[in-house]
Amino acid sequence: MTSPQWLDSWSAADGAARVRTLFTDAFGADAAPDGVWSAPGRVNLIGEHTDYNAGLALPVALPHRTFVALRSRADDVVRLASAQAPGQTWETTLADVGPGVTTGWGAYVAGVAWALREAGHAVTGFDAVVDSCVPFGAGLSSSAALECAVAVALDAVHDLGLAADDAGRAELSAACVRAENEIAGAPTGGMDQAASLRCSAGHALLLDCRPGLSALDSGHRVPFDLVPAGLTLLVVDTRAEHALVDGQYAARRAACERAAALLGVENLRAIDPADLDDALARLADAEDGATLQARVRHVVTEIDRTARFAELVQAGRLTDVGPLMDASHDSLRDDYEVSARELDLVVDTARAHGALGARMTGGGFGGSAIALLRADAVAPVVAAIQAAFEDAGLTAPGFLLSPPSQPAG
């Protein structure tokens, strides 16, 4: 059996050095950025496909980050380069950025500047380079890490002051969501950007996605320090790449919106778990009623699971959250139908080898799974997952550990 591949994070100094070098390579030997900023990917402990249903989610920031070196310009030209696209430069003007007209990876970057302008902030063009150790296509929010690193960079070079407090970071998060939804064309909710900008080391962020809430009410930091409890959160990148712009994610979101309309509620958060059976019965005769019932059942029960998970964590009962993780995965697999063969294999193997709980994480259709393990179980569980993938003839997965880490800055 081949050795497992561990996906290591970079130190702040290493990441900064990488993008400073890339900046001079891209824009000339005498070119220097105004500074370097970075933002983390995220892993969601529980609360999947709930954010766009005004529900609850519980992410933590990864130690893996996207680094951006940026220099402001006096005009509205945007020039971008990335270590992930060597030898290429992406260029546009802010005047040319808009919904449906901006394409390529630069849409996630220029879209943030567009959204800040739309919110009334005076933002000019810029030159920027990007490098990242957030695994791409792994369901760990590489796109949000990119957007949020750019957001805090633009905030700094234009003295917007938004990154100075949580309310301002919530505004930056909203700009990043607009960039992803309206410019990049990915109909995601706001959990990824909120996690990248508003999480803190040693904590998970209990995110309440109901519209209109203040920053104080929309996000609560929950202590999530696994080391004293002798636990570890293992993340497994299945290498089954997922994409949020291929229509499946949008179809799930549309089904939830249609179900809410049929039930006469603003969103699925409005359905109390005690009233779920009645709500499902009312959908039985709708077109695609069985599908709508399954989607609603997942969302309502997942919001309830997330609330109970947070309560257990706040009570210090970390070893008791496993069954909620297991139930979450089963619901995502059976009711929401967003799991994949590789995700199920990770989850089943981890459970069989002593995981307290395991589930897919992120939007699904590939990507990553997580397992909550006792620290001494990491090596045998990793070996078992590696062997299971080899036996199934699948591409070897990647592994990383996820201590809750710092937000964008």
Side-chain angles (χ1 to χ4, degrees):
M1 185 175 69
T2 58
S3 298
Q5 181 180 359
W6 287 94
L7 307 177
D8 295 327
S9 59
W10 301 338
S11 69
D14 186 17
R18 288 171 182 258
V19 289
R20 287 185 181 276
T21 299
L22 183 60
F23 196 92
T24 58
D25 290 345
F27 301 122
D30 296 330
D34 294 336
V36 174
W37 295 264
S38 68
R42 67 93 189 95
V43 62
N44 195 26
L45 300 174
I46 196 167
E48 224 64 77
H49 290 275
T50 54
D51 52 355
Y52 55 82
N53 286 295
L56 299 173
L58 193 65
V60 297
L62 287 169
H64 300 68
R65 303 176 75 88
T66 292
F67 291 81
V68 171
L70 183 144
R71 175 181 63 189
S72 63
R73 300 175 59 103
D75 55 23
D76 74 343
V77 171
V78 174
R79 295 191 300 168
L80 306 174
S82 170
Q84 284 66 50
Q88 302 177 28
T89 301
W90 189 96
E91 185 169 338
T92 192
T93 65
L94 291 179
D96 292 328
V97 176
V101 298
T102 309
T103 59
W105 71 271
Y108 292 91
V109 176
V112 175
W114 170 86
L116 287 171
R117 277 188 162 189
E118 288 284 296
H121 299 291
V123 173
T124 63
F126 52 92
D127 298 327
V129 299
V130 178
D131 201 355
S132 182
C133 59
V134 181
F136 176 75
L140 301 175
S141 298
S142 58
S143 61
L146 173 60
E147 295 154 2
C148 295
V150 171
V152 292
L154 293 176
D155 175 77
V157 299
H158 293 294
D159 294 320
L160 304 182
L162 297 174
D165 57 38
D166 195 49
R169 284 176 173 259
E171 185 174 343
L172 288 176
S173 176
C176 293
V177 173
R178 287 199 69 185
E180 183 147 334
N181 290 175
E182 299 179 44
I183 305 302
T188 57
M191 184 258 291
D192 299 346
Q193 293 81 4
S196 189
L197 281 159
R198 301 176 63 194
C199 278
S200 61
H203 293 75
L205 179 68
L206 180 59
L207 189 65
D208 190 328
C209 300
R210 285 175 295 179
L213 294 181
S214 68
L216 182 64
D217 293 328
S218 66
H220 300 275
R221 290 166 185 83
V222 179
F224 193 70
D225 191 358
L226 298 177
V227 174
L231 302 176
T232 297
L233 187 68
L234 176 70
V235 183
V236 184
D237 176 4
T238 67
R239 306 292 170 81
E241 188 171 311
H242 88 149
L244 298 182
V245 293
D246 65 357
Q248 291 296 322
Y249 189 103
R252 299 304 187 280
R253 183 167 184 165
C256 292
E257 291 170 352
R258 180 164 172 257
L262 290 171
L263 293 169
V265 293
E266 182 178 0
N267 51 59
L268 297 184
R269 176 69 178 277
I271 300 174
D272 189 282
D275 299 326
L276 177 58
D277 288 344
D278 176 66
L280 297 180
R282 292 166 59 195
L283 293 171
D285 294 330
E287 183 180 357
D288 297 325
T291 297
L292 295 180
Q293 286 175 318
R295 305 299 186 249
V296 170
R297 183 166 50 242
H298 165 72
V299 171
V300 174
T301 59
E302 184 79 347
I303 293 170
D304 181 61
R305 282 187 290 270
T306 305
R308 288 189 285 140
F309 189 113
E311 289 171 0
L312 289 171
V313 170
Q314 288 173 318
R317 297 171 56 188
L318 293 171
T319 58
D320 293 335
V321 301
L324 294 171
M325 297 175 69
D326 291 342
S328 173
H329 181 81
D330 295 349
S331 178
L332 287 159
R333 180 194 63 211
D334 300 335
D335 278 344
Y336 225 65
E337 298 180 283
V338 293
S339 191
R341 175 191 180 194
E342 294 88 348
L343 294 168
D344 293 340
L345 184 58
V346 171
V347 168
D348 293 343
T349 304
R351 290 175 182 174
H353 288 80
L356 299 179
R359 61 182 293 273
M360 59 157 280
T361 189
F365 314 107
S368 296
I370 58 174
L372 183 64
L373 308 172
R374 299 192 186 278
D376 59 4
V378 172
V381 168
V382 166
I385 292 171
Q386 181 85 2
F389 271 62
E390 286 192 13
D391 291 346
L394 298 170
T395 300
F399 300 92
L400 56 145
L401 300 179
S402 181
S405 300
Q406 295 284 0

